[in-house]
mmCIF file of all heavy atoms in Angstrom:
data_model
loop_
_atom_site.group_PDB
_atom_site.id
_atom_site.type_symbol
_atom_site.label_atom_id
_atom_site.label_comp_id
_atom_site.label_asym_id
_atom_site.label_seq_id
_atom_site.Cartn_x
_atom_site.Cartn_y
_atom_site.Cartn_z
ATOM 1 N N GLY Z 205 -7.760 6.884 19.352
ATOM 2 C CA GLY Z 205 -6.433 6.492 19.806
ATOM 3 C C GLY Z 205 -5.504 5.971 18.726
ATOM 4 O O GLY Z 205 -4.450 5.414 19.036
ATOM 5 N N ILE Z 206 -5.851 6.156 17.456
ATOM 6 C CA ILE Z 206 -4.987 5.686 16.360
ATOM 7 C C ILE Z 206 -4.053 6.826 15.989
ATOM 8 O O ILE Z 206 -4.446 7.765 15.289
ATOM 9 C CB ILE Z 206 -5.822 5.224 15.156
ATOM 10 C CG1 ILE Z 206 -6.802 4.126 15.580
ATOM 11 C CG2 ILE Z 206 -4.906 4.724 14.029
ATOM 12 C CD1 ILE Z 206 -7.815 3.760 14.517
ATOM 13 N N ARG Z 207 -2.826 6.741 16.459
ATOM 14 C CA ARG Z 207 -1.901 7.865 16.310
ATOM 15 C C ARG Z 207 -0.616 7.516 15.570
ATOM 16 O O ARG Z 207 0.212 8.392 15.335
ATOM 17 C CB ARG Z 207 -1.551 8.433 17.693
ATOM 18 C CG ARG Z 207 -2.764 8.930 18.465
ATOM 19 C CD ARG Z 207 -2.386 9.600 19.767
ATOM 20 N NE ARG Z 207 -3.560 10.041 20.483
ATOM 21 C CZ ARG Z 207 -4.217 9.320 21.393
ATOM 22 N NH1 ARG Z 207 -3.773 8.106 21.708
ATOM 23 N NH2 ARG Z 207 -5.285 9.804 21.987
ATOM 24 N N SER Z 208 -0.427 6.251 15.223
ATOM 25 C CA SER Z 208 0.811 5.839 14.574
ATOM 26 C C SER Z 208 0.521 5.053 13.311
ATOM 27 O O SER Z 208 -0.563 4.470 13.145
ATOM 28 C CB SER Z 208 1.647 4.972 15.514
ATOM 29 O OG SER Z 208 1.031 3.702 15.707
ATOM 30 N N SER Z 209 1.512 5.013 12.421
ATOM 31 C CA SER Z 209 1.384 4.236 11.194
ATOM 32 C C SER Z 209 1.207 2.757 11.507
ATOM 33 O O SER Z 209 0.429 2.056 10.855
ATOM 34 C CB SER Z 209 2.621 4.436 10.327
ATOM 35 O OG SER Z 209 2.781 5.791 9.979
ATOM 36 N N LYS Z 210 1.925 2.280 12.512
ATOM 37 C CA LYS Z 210 1.840 0.874 12.886
ATOM 38 C C LYS Z 210 0.435 0.520 13.359
ATOM 39 O O LYS Z 210 -0.119 -0.527 12.992
ATOM 40 C CB LYS Z 210 2.857 0.554 13.973
ATOM 41 C CG LYS Z 210 2.921 -0.921 14.345
ATOM 42 C CD LYS Z 210 4.052 -1.194 15.332
ATOM 43 C CE LYS Z 210 4.125 -2.684 15.670
ATOM 44 N NZ LYS Z 210 5.240 -2.970 16.617
ATOM 45 N N MET Z 211 -0.172 1.399 14.157
ATOM 46 C CA MET Z 211 -1.528 1.155 14.645
ATOM 47 C C MET Z 211 -2.531 1.196 13.490
ATOM 48 O O MET Z 211 -3.445 0.365 13.412
ATOM 49 C CB MET Z 211 -1.901 2.203 15.698
ATOM 50 C CG MET Z 211 -3.271 2.025 16.312
ATOM 51 S SD MET Z 211 -3.399 0.540 17.320
ATOM 52 C CE MET Z 211 -4.939 0.858 18.181
ATOM 53 N N ALA Z 212 -2.356 2.131 12.575
ATOM 54 C CA ALA Z 212 -3.251 2.206 11.419
ATOM 55 C C ALA Z 212 -3.151 0.936 10.584
ATOM 56 O O ALA Z 212 -4.168 0.380 10.154
ATOM 57 C CB ALA Z 212 -2.911 3.428 10.574
ATOM 58 N N ALA Z 213 -1.927 0.460 10.376
ATOM 59 C CA ALA Z 213 -1.721 -0.766 9.605
ATOM 60 C C ALA Z 213 -2.402 -1.954 10.277
ATOM 61 O O ALA Z 213 -3.012 -2.800 9.614
ATOM 62 C CB ALA Z 213 -0.231 -1.031 9.441
ATOM 63 N N LEU Z 214 -2.308 -2.023 11.600
ATOM 64 C CA LEU Z 214 -2.926 -3.118 12.348
ATOM 65 C C LEU Z 214 -4.447 -3.074 12.215
ATOM 66 O O LEU Z 214 -5.101 -4.115 12.065
ATOM 67 C CB LEU Z 214 -2.515 -3.041 13.816
ATOM 68 C CG LEU Z 214 -3.010 -4.172 14.730
ATOM 69 C CD1 LEU Z 214 -2.477 -5.518 14.254
ATOM 70 C CD2 LEU Z 214 -2.572 -3.908 16.168
ATOM 71 N N MET Z 215 -5.027 -1.890 12.261
ATOM 72 C CA MET Z 215 -6.478 -1.759 12.118
ATOM 73 C C MET Z 215 -6.929 -2.208 10.733
ATOM 74 O O MET Z 215 -7.949 -2.891 10.581
ATOM 75 C CB MET Z 215 -6.904 -0.312 12.365
ATOM 76 C CG MET Z 215 -6.701 0.190 13.789
ATOM 77 S SD MET Z 215 -7.648 -0.733 15.029
ATOM 78 C CE MET Z 215 -6.352 -1.792 15.699
ATOM 79 N N ILE Z 216 -6.158 -1.837 9.711
ATOM 80 C CA ILE Z 216 -6.508 -2.234 8.341
ATOM 81 C C ILE Z 216 -6.394 -3.745 8.185
ATOM 82 O O ILE Z 216 -7.268 -4.395 7.614
ATOM 83 C CB ILE Z 216 -5.627 -1.491 7.332
ATOM 84 C CG1 ILE Z 216 -5.960 0.011 7.362
ATOM 85 C CG2 ILE Z 216 -5.820 -2.051 5.928
ATOM 86 C CD1 ILE Z 216 -4.960 0.886 6.624
ATOM 87 N N LYS Z 217 -5.327 -4.318 8.726
ATOM 88 C CA LYS Z 217 -5.163 -5.769 8.670
ATOM 89 C C LYS Z 217 -6.308 -6.477 9.388
ATOM 90 O O LYS Z 217 -6.755 -7.556 8.971
ATOM 91 C CB LYS Z 217 -3.832 -6.172 9.306
ATOM 92 C CG LYS Z 217 -3.583 -7.678 9.268
ATOM 93 C CD LYS Z 217 -2.413 -8.085 10.124
ATOM 94 C CE LYS Z 217 -2.275 -9.612 10.152
ATOM 95 N NZ LYS Z 217 -1.241 -10.063 11.086
ATOM 96 N N SER Z 218 -6.807 -5.887 10.454
ATOM 97 C CA SER Z 218 -7.868 -6.506 11.254
ATOM 98 C C SER Z 218 -9.229 -6.415 10.588
ATOM 99 O O SER Z 218 -10.176 -7.081 11.025
ATOM 100 C CB SER Z 218 -7.925 -5.853 12.635
ATOM 101 O OG SER Z 218 -6.701 -6.033 13.320
ATOM 102 N N GLY Z 219 -9.355 -5.571 9.561
ATOM 103 C CA GLY Z 219 -10.612 -5.506 8.827
ATOM 104 C C GLY Z 219 -11.192 -4.127 8.629
ATOM 105 O O GLY Z 219 -12.255 -3.988 8.014
ATOM 106 N N ALA Z 220 -10.529 -3.087 9.116
ATOM 107 C CA ALA Z 220 -11.047 -1.729 8.936
ATOM 108 C C ALA Z 220 -10.798 -1.245 7.515
ATOM 109 O O ALA Z 220 -9.723 -1.468 6.961
ATOM 110 C CB ALA Z 220 -10.386 -0.771 9.931
ATOM 111 N N ASN Z 221 -11.805 -0.591 6.938
ATOM 112 C CA ASN Z 221 -11.579 0.052 5.651
ATOM 113 C C ASN Z 221 -11.773 1.552 5.708
ATOM 114 O O ASN Z 221 -11.815 2.235 4.685
ATOM 115 C CB ASN Z 221 -12.433 -0.572 4.543
ATOM 116 C CG ASN Z 221 -13.887 -0.689 4.889
ATOM 117 O OD1 ASN Z 221 -14.290 -0.586 6.036
ATOM 118 N ND2 ASN Z 221 -14.691 -0.925 3.882
ATOM 119 N N ARG Z 222 -11.854 2.068 6.942
ATOM 120 C CA ARG Z 222 -11.779 3.507 7.169
ATOM 121 C C ARG Z 222 -11.138 3.710 8.538
ATOM 122 O O ARG Z 222 -11.405 2.960 9.479
ATOM 123 C CB ARG Z 222 -13.149 4.159 7.130
ATOM 124 C CG ARG Z 222 -13.151 5.680 6.979
ATOM 125 C CD ARG Z 222 -12.770 6.158 5.600
ATOM 126 N NE ARG Z 222 -13.815 5.959 4.611
ATOM 127 C CZ ARG Z 222 -14.795 6.837 4.365
ATOM 128 N NH1 ARG Z 222 -14.862 7.969 5.048
ATOM 129 N NH2 ARG Z 222 -15.690 6.597 3.416
ATOM 130 N N ILE Z 223 -10.303 4.742 8.647
ATOM 131 C CA ILE Z 223 -9.600 5.071 9.886
ATOM 132 C C ILE Z 223 -9.955 6.494 10.292
ATOM 133 O O ILE Z 223 -9.721 7.436 9.529
ATOM 134 C CB ILE Z 223 -8.061 4.975 9.703
ATOM 135 C CG1 ILE Z 223 -7.638 3.588 9.225
ATOM 136 C CG2 ILE Z 223 -7.347 5.366 10.997
ATOM 137 C CD1 ILE Z 223 -7.815 2.495 10.242
ATOM 138 N N GLY Z 224 -10.531 6.655 11.477
ATOM 139 C CA GLY Z 224 -10.804 7.986 12.003
ATOM 140 C C GLY Z 224 -9.678 8.401 12.933
ATOM 141 O O GLY Z 224 -9.412 7.725 13.930
ATOM 142 N N THR Z 225 -9.017 9.503 12.621
ATOM 143 C CA THR Z 225 -7.864 9.910 13.425
ATOM 144 C C THR Z 225 -7.572 11.392 13.264
ATOM 145 O O THR Z 225 -7.789 11.963 12.188
ATOM 146 C CB THR Z 225 -6.607 9.100 13.036
ATOM 147 O OG1 THR Z 225 -5.491 9.547 13.809
ATOM 148 C CG2 THR Z 225 -6.287 9.230 11.548
ATOM 149 N N SER Z 226 -7.072 11.985 14.329
ATOM 150 C CA SER Z 226 -6.584 13.365 14.264
ATOM 151 C C SER Z 226 -5.101 13.405 13.924
ATOM 152 O O SER Z 226 -4.509 14.477 13.851
ATOM 153 C CB SER Z 226 -6.837 14.069 15.607
ATOM 154 O OG SER Z 226 -6.182 13.375 16.659
ATOM 155 N N SER Z 227 -4.507 12.229 13.722
ATOM 156 C CA SER Z 227 -3.068 12.123 13.441
ATOM 157 C C SER Z 227 -2.793 11.670 12.015
ATOM 158 O O SER Z 227 -1.759 11.062 11.734
ATOM 159 C CB SER Z 227 -2.425 11.132 14.428
ATOM 160 O OG SER Z 227 -2.613 11.535 15.762
ATOM 161 N N GLY Z 228 -3.694 11.977 11.103
ATOM 162 C CA GLY Z 228 -3.558 11.502 9.739
ATOM 163 C C GLY Z 228 -2.275 11.948 9.059
ATOM 164 O O GLY Z 228 -1.636 11.157 8.338
ATOM 165 N N VAL Z 229 -1.889 13.192 9.273
ATOM 166 C CA VAL Z 229 -0.668 13.706 8.643
ATOM 167 C C VAL Z 229 0.543 12.922 9.126
ATOM 168 O O VAL Z 229 1.381 12.474 8.322
ATOM 169 C CB VAL Z 229 -0.498 15.210 8.924
ATOM 170 C CG1 VAL Z 229 0.880 15.694 8.487
ATOM 171 C CG2 VAL Z 229 -1.596 16.007 8.223
#
Side-chain angles (χ1 to χ4, degrees):
I206 303 171
R207 300 185 181 91
S208 70
S209 300
K210 185 174 181 179
M211 182 67 167
L214 184 61
M215 294 299 101
I216 293 168
K217 181 191 175 186
S218 299
N221 50 344
R222 196 73 74 88
I223 303 291
T225 178
S226 59
S227 301
V229 170

